[in-house]
Amino acid sequence: MRLILPVLLLAALPLTLHPLAAQVVLEPSAEDLPPGYPPKLGLAELVEGGKTQVLTTYDFSIGAFDASAWFGEGIEARGFYLTAYPDDNPDARKGVLRIYGHYESWTPGQAPGATTEGLVEWSITEGFRGRRWTSAGKPVEVVVDSFVPQEPGQTSGYGHVTGHYSARVCSGDKDPVVVAPNARCREISGQFETDVQYSP
């Protein structure tokens, strides 16, 4: 199934150029949130056992970069990050998909292609510190097929990506994750098409 979304024309937001891992994101109260917050950025598929689930990416930015899909620095290292939520629920903690592809030499304006270095996780319980399906210790495939910046030539801002991924994930727990030698495993894959934020 091919996901086709229009490029979202997002309003200009105040952005910082600091690495994402070091940012402090403001936590507004409900009455301070703009209508329609958080706006949707795109979709990601999760295919497992012959069943396809469609999840949603969002832009949580208020005063800082905080989209759920981006290129730049993050928890793992420099690369592509995507977090997608089930049931059109940006507050979901169970059933959330996280994809990371390591792209050390990526520069804005390029589609970096394929990498086998990364991490794919799918939360089973509340969040990613507890029980989850994880590719930790196993190779993954993350492919960014296309990247189109909203404003060509800029070193940070918004763009639009398409791509796909596949991974063997096993049941794990704790943070950092621990996977038992006899853990249950399954194959997951899918496509994604979403707007993203990017920074140097």
Side-chain angles (χ1 to χ4, degrees):
M1 177 175 116
R2 180 68 178 166
L3 298 175
I4 301 176
L5 297 177
V7 175
L8 303 179
L9 299 176
L10 300 173
L13 296 172
L15 305 175
T16 68
L17 296 180
H18 302 293
L20 291 165
Q23 290 178 4
V24 175
V25 178
L26 303 178
E27 294 292 341
S29 61
E31 57 269 18
D32 295 331
L33 298 175
Y37 177 87
K40 295 179 181 180
L41 291 176
L43 301 176
E45 286 180 345
L46 194 159
V47 181
E48 190 274 324
K51 296 181 180 179
T52 300
Q53 182 180 3
V54 178
L55 303 99
T56 307
T57 55
Y58 294 93
D59 189 357
F60 298 100
S61 300
I62 293 184
F65 253 178
D66 192 24
S68 71
W70 79 91
F71 280 101
E73 300 292 335
I75 296 171
E76 301 295 332
R78 182 172 170 78
F80 171 68
Y81 290 83
L82 181 148
T83 303
Y85 299 82
D87 305 320
D88 283 330
N89 179 9
D91 296 317
R93 293 174 57 81
K94 182 178 179 180
V96 177
L97 173 69
R98 290 198 313 189
I99 300 169
Y100 162 66
H102 180 68
Y103 294 107
E104 186 63 38
S105 60
W106 177 81
T107 56
Q110 297 179 343
T115 180
T116 56
E117 295 181 64
L119 182 69
V120 175
E121 294 191 316
W122 182 21
S123 63
I124 297 173
T125 56
E126 294 294 303
F128 288 93
R129 294 181 180 273
R131 181 68 57 185
R132 59 203 183 270
W133 297 103
T134 179
S135 70
K138 294 180 169 44
V140 302
E141 181 183 48
V142 177
V143 183
V144 178
D145 293 308
S146 69
F147 172 78
V148 179
Q150 227 176 52
E151 297 184 29
Q154 297 298 309
T155 59
S156 67
Y158 286 89
H160 190 77
V161 300
T162 64
H164 57 280
Y165 71 96
S166 61
R168 180 173 176 80
V169 294
C170 300
S171 178
D173 202 357
K174 305 187 186 306
D175 185 29
V177 69
V178 175
V179 178
N182 61 344
R184 293 175 297 138
C185 299
R186 53 180 62 182
E187 304 291 332
I188 65 173
S189 62
Q191 302 179 78
F192 50 85
E193 182 169 352
T194 181
D195 280 7
V196 295
Q197 289 174 331
Y198 66 96
S199 61

